[in-house]
Amino acid sequence: MTKLDAKIPEGPIAEKWTKHKNEINVVNPANKRLIDIIVVGTGLAGGSAAASLAEMGYNVKAFCFQDSPRRAHSIAAQGGINAAKNYQNDGDSTYRLFYDTVKGGDYRSREANVYRLAEVSANIIDQCVAQGVPFARDYGGLLDNRSFGGVLVSRTFYAKGQTGQQLLLGAYSAMSRQIGKGKIKMYNRHEMLDVVKVDGKARGIIARDLVSGKIERHSAHAVVICSGGYGNVFFLSTNAMGSNVTAAWKIHKKGAYFANPCYTQIHPTCIPRSGDHQSKLTLMSESLRNDGRIWVPKKKEDVDAIRAGKLKPTQLKEDERDYYLERRYPAFGNLVPRDVASRAAKERCDAGFGVNKTGEAVYLDFSSAIMRYGKEKATVDGIENASDKEIRELGEGVVEAKYGNLFQMYEKIVDENPYKTPMMIYPAVHYTMGGIWVDYNLMTSIEGCYALGEANFSDHGANRLGASALMQGLADGYFVLPYTIGDYLANDIRTGPISIDSPEFVEAEKVVKDDLNKLINNKGTHSVDYFHKRLGKVMWDKVGMARNEKGLKEAIAEIQQIRKEFWEDVRVPGSVDGLNPELEKAGRVADFLELGELFAKDALERNESCGGHFREESQTEEGEALRHDDQYAYVAAWEYTGEPKDAVLHKEELEFKDIELKQRSYK
Amino acid sequence: MDLTLKIWRQKNREAKGEMKSYPIKGVSPDSSFLEMMDLLNNELIEKGEDPVAFDHDCREGICGSCSMYINGEAHGPDRMVTTCQLHMRKFKDGETIHIEPWRANAFPVEKDLVVDRSSFDRIMNAGGFVSVNTSGNTQDANATPIPKEDADNAFDAATCIGCGACVATCKNASAMLFVSAKVSQLALLPQGRPEAKRRATHMVEQMDHEGFGNCTNTGACEVECPKGISLENIARMNREYLSASMSSDS
Ligand SMILES: Cc1cc2nc3c(=O)[nH]c(=O)nc-3n(C[C@H](O)[C@H](O)[C@H](O)COP(=O)(O)OP(=O)(O)OC[C@H]3O[C@@H](n4cnc5c(N)ncnc54)[C@H](O)[C@@H]3O)c2cc1C
Ligand code: SF4
Ligand code: FES
């Protein structure tokens, strides 16, 4: 095991970033024109990076597999984005955001990166407002905030339930401006299928034009991977259908270490599944936990009556309901962090209190909030002696203004009116904290190859706080990479354009073509989805919300078996030429089948519970997650050596100098 | 539910397409329209036939990828939803459903139900932005208060998902609703105001150049728009555009 060098700058934590920026090399403006950068992905991380790099003068080539950069998965983020602005005067600060993020991540993230994230967070909001992002405002015309799980201040900026959309459209418009100027060359409907290394450095990619099917070589002086997370290894998740691990996995196979693959966030508030036809799960933003109260019936008889359709949830009296989060965690109540809320829901449902047919659902109830807001509104509007009905109507109006689109989405899917009857929710896979290992400069263990956004592992430890992914993606792309990449590229100003005719490009292209042909010519009996669903089931049952040694060992063997069958028996229709969505899926699932095994191996190796990783062997008497800092306060970075089972572990020891390590408590 | 699907099949941009009929059985009314398409595709694959290509990604009505013209309506019979949010409970057992791609000169068909909407991107490249660079020293976000009403109106316009249903619905294949939504959003905000006229001019020029038709105010777009983008945006854009063509700062 080697020691990994995270290249964390010396000095006090609050000064590291400024000092680092002052000390690193920069590329002068005239020379930037001589340098090409490939950015894979146009979500918040890739979009912001591509736009900023192009504005600085670099030649950018950007890639996405959708038909437009504006459709990257970031578009779906709902709830909001954090920033330590302290506009609400509730004592927020860079330090507090830093502290909350490290604590929320259950002390498994790198302090220096998190501090920098908190430090640049305020700039993000300024930048987005300057671009015309229409954040929610109050009547005074100033920006409004809400609070999110795991924190005690209001620091989340939002645009109704469409924050990700508005932020992404901001980054997309900045990109559009550079595309119009010719500084970004945009490759829509292109999928990166490998990275090309020349003399140990990342110098380009192999991509498939998804419309013509043509395999293309693209060269550059540096390659930036912003391809998002890999939650779809579970088949069902809240991620978009196309979200995948391929770009990250391909660079892993070429030398980039994969860090903490087992750190997955299972989000507590998603719409429960309705049947076997289910293709994905829909998130109900966590912001709903500001106003919704989570409960299940206290008595089993009531559960049975509800499941049989004989009793309505609204008929249960207050004292017949178990508001289990408020009961177990009086300080944070419904606003405990996601991992805690998810496990608590699973605990109640496993105990037989789930409220729908499948037994996998709990209530998220807005009736108290509706009445509370209704009373406030009646007072403000000067309505005296308002009846309960009037109050309810006024309150529904307030709730609609806050969460209208989410309620509509729920109603369309479930066919029930959440203003009148409580929502049903259940945890679902949502976000992956693990990802490509990067140093302080966001460089992977391949020289000249960077990873940003959800694709990297750096800032969220073992659990991400709500509204922090958008912050991280934009911090990486707008304010971190544009500086740190200059330090590396300063050595490349005399390199000149990188040829795509070198043997390295030829070889990489050949391997990609062979793999695609193998899939098409396989002519097996089952569709790609058949294997993906089987993988997903193993992951959910044995590598999901609760994990143990036996289950993980079984999962590893089962995934190996599914992978073997996949390569023997998958059927991919059509040809490699031309648009072929099944072929795209097949390549992605092939990579998930390798990642899934490494994921389980990582979970097995980490015999402690931390954040989203819950090992049944490691819990307190009350069933809370129990960390073992003496043994596991490190980042597990895996090196590929041929098969997932042979991956070699490298440890980056985590040092906590500015925050004291404690067992988390939200009681 | 048992249904008959009549679906547009077209091999590639150059090929001639045709409607083909597919019976499908055992569709759950709780499944979404795209999940019904998944079911069909799985059957086709297992039978060794070519599955139907269609665009989709988020499946929650926000990415703007999905784009089916169902029974003569963009995104199908339901209102304020995208194709991916449409559920099978909106159809009757035994029904025949016609499924076609968006039809417009500026949206050529790539394959089956997949069309090329890059003309929308090019309109954005022509002016759909505020000319501001990334900088760690931008003025504080609260330095310029924005009246809530303006912010809310800007937000409403900004919720356009760029799906193209407005174009597919319009008998002239006009992109006015899409363009006006972006023009309005930015014109309503102090940050976007300085370039408002220039922006309107450039975006409209590009729209014409891409081969979208003229707006004759039929209002069909507003009805089919899954995000409820209002015709008022078109009126607002016309004001910007007219004042731009009459003043010299365009
Ligand atoms: C439903 C939902 C709601 C969320 N809400 C919030 C929230 O309120 N607040 C918050 O902070 N976070 C939220 N998140 C998390 C957050 O949205 C994501 O973590 C974040 O947007 C990821 O951004 P990204 O730029 O890293 O990647 P993405 O937005 O996933 O972008 C990935 C990009 O990579 C491209 N790509 C991928 N692979 C390839 C390839 N091989 N070749 C070419 N291109 C490729 C894609 O085309 C895409 O452009 C939410 C997530 C979900 C699922
Ligand atoms: S205006 Fe409406 S219909 Fe047109 S692209 Fe935008 S969201 Fe789609
Ligand atoms: S698939 Fe994203 S809007 Fe329908």
Side-chain angles (χ1 to χ4, degrees), chain A residues 8-54:
Chain A
I8 299 167
E10 295 299 317
I13 198 151
E15 289 161 26
K16 283 182 196 290
W17 178 231
T18 310
K19 187 165 158 287
H20 189 59
K21 279 194 293 184
N22 290 337
E23 288 171 2
I24 56 181
N25 292 315
V26 290
V27 180
N28 92 27
N31 285 332
K32 291 198 178 96
R33 270 185 270 129
L34 307 175
I35 290 181
D36 306 325
I37 302 175
I38 284 175
V39 178
V40 177
T42 60
L44 288 182
S48 58
S52 305
L53 293 169

Side-chain angles (χ1 to χ4, degrees), chain B residues 38-59:
Chain B
D38 292 342
L39 187 67
L40 172 73
N41 276 345
N42 238 328
E43 286 177 11
L44 291 177
I45 294 166
E46 298 200 344
K47 276 197 284 185
E49 291 177 38
D50 199 24
V52 182
F54 59 90
D55 267 322
H56 66 109
D57 198 21
C58 72
R59 295 205 175 187

